[in-house]
Amino acid sequence: MAIEQTRSFSRAAELRFVTQSALSRRVKSLEDWVGVELVDRATYPVELTSAGRRFCEQSKESVGALTEVRSALRQEARMPGRSIQITAGHTLSLTFLPKWLKQFHQRSGDFNARVVAANVHDAVIALAESNCDLMIGYHHPLVPMQLDEDKFASLTLGQEAFIPVSAPNGRGAPMFALPGSSASPLPYLAYTATTFMGRVVDVILNSVDTAYHFRACYETDMAMLLMKMVVEGYGVAWLPFSAVSEEIDAGRLVRAGGDEWSAQLEIRSYRAIANTNPTMQDLWKSLEDSVNRGA
């Protein structure tokens, strides 16, 4: 259905929040299951075959029926009273969201919230597929979200620094200080390559003029796990300031480099423009008012 809409494998992959190669594999698996070719790969722009058009029309009816059932079931499963469902990044769900929810309870009155922590990829899918009313995540202008601005609105809730940190040595200096050297490369605790924060680190490293020397020794997609590894002295990692502020105040972590090794991240909220949940609409109006007042 996405290929029919866009007539492009690459654009369809963006709409479905998967890589183009993953989408191609899924289409091939579907064709193997149906037993005929559904996409004419010899045309440009891409077109469906006659069998593909028939299959797509029937698929729309099936997806529409399933979507209606899903909507009814979700409505039954919603928390009672005024309620919203929020999907937030793992780090923000621990550092930002509790205080933010308390603030807006005070401004908007009581409402119930169901919060799911997820990585950026899963959070975007949850919003795009109406699995949540509100998504809260980080934003960087060079690592944009693939969300259609005609369908989704966003507001900036705040900013925070994204900084390199290390455990301190006996003198209070970083045990592993950037940029390292060829003779003594820094043990680097990295995000997996496809994560949002991993791509932000790439942006930082591509922007500095100084040569750096790393040896990758650990990789994960969770910032809080990297923070624990840094505290234990395994190496240097980039982390949102909110995730490490207590550790820095306690002297268990120190910055491993100056401002040139850091970036500013926006904290943004996202919603579907078509969302009709009255609690969501009230909260969004309150958010807009706060942003306009500079609160």
Side-chain angles (χ1 to χ4, degrees):
M1 290 166 59
I3 291 172
E4 182 206 36
Q5 176 185 345
T6 63
R7 303 183 69 188
S8 163
F9 269 85
S10 60
R11 180 59 182 147
E14 290 179 3
L15 289 180
R16 300 306 305 147
F17 306 104
V18 297
T19 63
Q20 185 172 336
S21 59
L23 180 71
S24 296
R25 289 194 300 270
R26 293 181 184 185
V27 171
K28 183 62 170 63
S29 294
L30 185 61
E31 290 176 324
D32 290 343
W33 182 79
V34 176
V36 297
E37 289 190 352
L38 302 174
V39 178
D40 185 350
R41 294 166 175 80
T43 62
Y44 184 82
V46 173
E47 292 185 358
L48 301 184
T49 63
S50 59
R53 290 191 292 272
R54 287 178 58 194
F55 191 80
C56 190
E57 287 304 312
Q58 185 62 51
S59 297
K60 290 177 182 178
E61 294 180 15
S62 299
V63 170
L66 287 171
T67 301
E68 289 182 9
V69 172
R70 183 183 68 172
S71 178
L73 293 174
R74 285 179 177 170
Q75 192 61 38
E76 294 173 7
R78 292 188 73 91
M79 298 185 72
R82 299 181 68 220
S83 65
I84 59 171
Q85 300 194 105
I86 301 172
T87 300
H90 288 289
T91 303
L92 289 171
S93 68
L94 294 171
T95 61
F96 174 80
L97 194 59
K99 295 178 182 178
W100 180 81
L101 279 175
K102 181 178 180 181
Q103 174 187 2
F104 279 94
H105 271 291
Q106 295 170 345
R107 292 186 180 182
S108 304
D110 287 338
F111 59 88
N112 301 318
R114 175 177 290 147
V115 178
V116 176
N119 60 40
V120 173
H121 177 267
D122 291 341
V124 171
I125 290 177
L127 181 67
E129 297 190 347
S130 303
N131 289 337
C132 65
D133 296 306
L134 185 72
M135 184 189 86
I136 297 178
Y138 288 116
H139 169 81
H140 188 281
L142 298 182
V143 189
M145 295 280 188
Q146 298 295 333
L147 286 172
D148 188 339
E149 294 182 356
D150 292 332
K151 296 180 180 179
F152 300 95
S154 68
L155 287 171
T156 298
L157 305 178
Q159 293 190 349
E160 71 168 311
F162 187 56
I163 62 173
V165 291
S166 163
N169 60 24
R171 301 183 303 277
M175 188 182 299
F176 306 107
L178 291 163
S181 67
S182 57
S184 181
L186 302 180
Y188 175 41
L189 310 178
Y191 297 96
T192 51
T194 58
T195 60
F196 169 81
M197 289 185 181
R199 286 181 286 161
V200 174
V201 173
D202 289 341
V203 168
I204 294 171
L205 296 178
N206 289 333
S207 68
V208 295
D209 295 328
T210 307
Y212 54 88
H213 304 274
F214 295 158
R215 57 175 180 87
C217 61
Y218 190 81
E219 189 175 274
T220 183
D221 62 353
M222 294 186 65
M224 300 307 287
L225 183 52
L226 282 185
M227 187 267 287
K228 296 293 186 183
M229 296 293 291
V230 177
V231 170
E232 294 298 327
Y234 281 94
V236 62
W238 272 260
L239 291 157
F241 182 77
S242 62
V244 296
S245 59
E246 292 184 6
E247 302 295 333
I248 289 176
D249 290 343
R252 290 186 289 268
L253 288 179
V254 293
R255 294 184 67 142
D259 290 343
E260 70 274 20
W261 297 99
S262 303
Q264 284 293 316
L265 301 177
E266 290 184 22
I267 302 172
R268 283 193 180 184
S269 59
Y270 299 84
R271 74 171 181 97
I273 294 173
N275 189 310
T276 59
N277 179 355
T279 306
M280 173 72 263
Q281 292 177 337
D282 290 346
L283 179 59
W284 195 262
K285 179 62 166 60
S286 180
L287 285 175
E288 288 181 324
D289 291 343
S290 295
V291 170
N292 291 336
R293 290 196 303 267

